[in-house]
């Protein structure tokens, strides 16, 4: 086992995993896994730049994570940055800040790399299960983008499209930075049209309808599962590998789109940072299920973070062998 640390910095959240990993067996033992909502992508779709306050929130989380990584004595760290920092004009400011705090440069990875990591993290544990038919469609619904990956043992096809819960909320459900509460039918229709156009784009390269098992990742999907189970608080163990039917996803999405901020905030499993963006995220999930005719989604708490951790462990092992 190799002790590694992985950080995934997305549009809405930054997440840390410190774990002992064995890439040969697929075993991963969590030592610390946490998530902080930093909204790094705040306003990026509109301005093309990372906002100063968003950068400061992200750097504050990095300082906290640096202390945790040091405490656990991780041998290697990899920091992967996704959608928001790919798009921003001032991403060098972000890179310098992370390097100063953590001693590593954030890798601003492509959508295809993001998809590969997500697929590995989500499916490593599914090996040998005969109740989940292959190929899998792994869908990672982030803040700024959604990754689609079809594969069995390895990735067969992948595509990243610019549809995510933050981007859709800011583009369609907000006016002057304030989220409409609840959205109008016209706003919902415009958002749905945008999502459908993105699914058309994804289908140009990824055979979405060939999938036999839909695996859903990231906060929008896990929150829908928590709501479906009526959990009294967010419970990773109850959410991991839970299954949510298409009908239940539709019911929850329709309720979220009708609800007010206060009603969503009152859901006990809802993270405060997701209250305004969860309706858009749920609609992305529902649209995908309708497009491919999925009867259910298998929810995974293991995703790009786990994929990054496995990759770091593999590289560490290769380094030891060659050294």
């Amino acid at each position: 086992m190799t002790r590694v640390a992985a950080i995934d910095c997305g549009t809405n959240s930054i997440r840390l995993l410190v774990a002992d990993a064995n890439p040969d067996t697929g075993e991963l033992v969590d030592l610390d896994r946490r998530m902080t909502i930093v909204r790094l992508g705040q306003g990026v779709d509109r301005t093309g730049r990372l906002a100063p306050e968003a950068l400061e929130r992200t750097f504050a989380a990095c300082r906290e994570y640096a202390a945790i990584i040091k405490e656990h004595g991780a041998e290697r760290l990899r920091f992967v940055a996704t959608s928001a920092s790919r798009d921003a004009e001032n991403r060098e400011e972000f890179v310098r800040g992370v390097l100063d705090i953590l001693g590593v440069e954030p890798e601003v990875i492509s959508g295809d790399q993001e998809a590969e990591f997500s697929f590995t993290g989500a499916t490593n544990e599914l090996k040998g299960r005969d109740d989940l038919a292959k190929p899998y469609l792994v869908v990672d619904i982030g803040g700024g983008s959604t990754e689609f990956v079809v594969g069995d043992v390895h990735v067969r096809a992948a595509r990243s499209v610019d549809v995510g819960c933050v981007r859709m909320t800011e583009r369609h459900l907000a006016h002057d930075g304030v989220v409409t509460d609840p959205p109008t039918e016209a706003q919902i229709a415009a958002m749905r049209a945008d999502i459908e156009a993105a699914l058309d784009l994804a289908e140009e390269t990824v055979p979405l309808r060939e999938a036999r098992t839909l695996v859903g990742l990231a906060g929008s999907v896990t929150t829908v599962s928590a709501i479906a189970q009526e959990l009294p608080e967010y419970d990773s163990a109850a959410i991991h590998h839970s299954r949510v039917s298409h009908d239940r996803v539709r019911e929850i999405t329709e309720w979220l789109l009708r609800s007010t901020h206060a009603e969503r905030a009152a859901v006990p499993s809802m993270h405060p940072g997701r209250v305004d963006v969860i309706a858009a995220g749920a609609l992305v999930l529902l649209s995908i299920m309708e497009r491919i005719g999925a009867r259910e989604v298998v929810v995974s708490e293991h995703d790009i973070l786990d994929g990054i951790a496995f990759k770091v462990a593999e590289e560490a092992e290769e380094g030891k062998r060659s050294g």
Side-chain angles (χ1 to χ4, degrees):
M1 301 286 271
T2 304
R3 184 158 296 183
V4 297
I7 293 176
D8 166 39
C9 185
T11 304
N12 196 43
S13 63
I14 183 168
R15 299 179 306 138
L16 167 70
L17 172 61
V18 182
D20 288 331
N22 184 331
D24 296 329
T25 63
E27 187 182 3
L28 194 75
V29 179
D30 287 15
L31 300 171
D32 201 310
R33 186 187 290 261
R34 61 184 66 203
M35 182 268 289
T36 309
I37 300 279
V38 292
R39 293 294 291 274
L40 179 62
Q42 173 195 330
V44 165
D45 203 41
R46 181 174 48 83
T47 66
R49 297 179 63 81
L50 299 168
E53 61 271 27
L55 283 167
E56 187 41 52
R57 287 193 299 267
T58 305
F59 295 154
C62 287
R63 286 188 278 272
E64 179 192 342
Y65 290 178
I68 294 162
I69 292 164
K70 185 178 179 182
E71 181 188 328
H72 284 292
E75 293 176 39
R76 292 194 178 205
L77 163 65
R78 191 165 183 178
F79 186 118
V80 167
T82 52
S83 183
S85 49
R86 271 203 301 269
D87 304 338
E89 291 169 13
N90 60 333
R91 62 173 175 258
E92 281 308 311
E93 193 179 339
F94 166 68
V95 170
R96 283 197 308 273
V98 171
L99 182 58
D100 287 347
I101 296 164
L102 287 159
V104 296
E105 279 200 27
E107 296 174 57
V108 182
I109 60 172
S110 69
D112 286 346
Q113 288 173 296
E114 197 173 337
E116 182 84 42
F117 283 137
S118 293
F119 186 82
T120 301
T123 63
N124 249 14
E125 288 181 305
L126 305 180
K127 291 172 182 171
R129 283 187 58 165
D130 52 14
D131 60 325
L132 299 176
K134 295 175 186 174
Y136 308 115
L137 169 60
V138 174
V139 175
D140 188 341
I141 303 172
S145 62
T146 295
E147 282 63 55
F148 297 85
V149 199
V150 166
D152 30 53
V153 178
H154 299 291
V155 172
R156 202 185 291 175
R159 184 73 180 261
S160 177
V161 295
D162 285 339
V163 169
C165 60
V166 174
R167 198 184 293 266
M168 288 299 94
T169 300
E170 291 189 347
R171 188 178 290 173
H172 297 292
L173 305 185
H175 183 65
D176 292 331
V178 179
V179 175
T180 308
D181 200 20
T184 65
E185 289 300 321
Q187 285 175 305
I188 295 168
M191 180 166 60
R192 187 179 268 279
D194 219 359
I195 295 167
E196 292 298 332
L199 290 175
D200 291 342
L201 204 58
E203 275 201 292
E204 288 177 7
T205 47
V206 180
L208 303 181
R209 296 168 211 249
E210 287 182 16
R212 293 293 167 264
T213 298
L214 174 65
V215 182
L217 316 181
S220 292
V221 181
T222 59
T223 300
V224 166
S225 172
I227 296 169
Q229 297 181 65
E230 300 180 1
L231 297 177
E233 59 185 10
Y234 192 93
D235 180 349
S236 292
I239 290 166
H240 189 47
H241 290 173
S242 60
R243 301 183 183 196
V244 188
S245 71
H246 167 264
D247 288 348
R248 193 77 178 100
V249 171
R250 189 184 68 247
E251 285 170 16
I252 291 165
T253 302
E254 288 174 354
W255 178 78
L256 288 168
L257 288 166
R258 287 195 313 268
S259 63
T260 64
H261 177 96
E263 287 169 335
R264 295 189 300 278
V267 174
S269 57
M270 182 79 68
H271 189 289
R274 295 208 184 277
V275 174
D276 283 334
V277 299
I278 184 59
L283 185 60
V284 173
L285 174 61
L286 178 63
S287 301
I288 293 165
M289 295 181 80
E290 289 176 345
R291 174 69 66 107
I292 69 172
R295 288 178 295 183
E296 66 175 11
V297 57
V298 178
V299 181
S300 179
E301 281 275 8
H302 292 184
D303 50 29
I304 186 172
L305 257 188
D306 303 75
I308 297 164
F310 279 121
K311 189 66 178 172
V312 175
E314 275 177 16
E315 289 165 356
E317 286 302 307
E318 285 165 11
K320 286 174 188 172
R321 289 185 193 118
S322 61

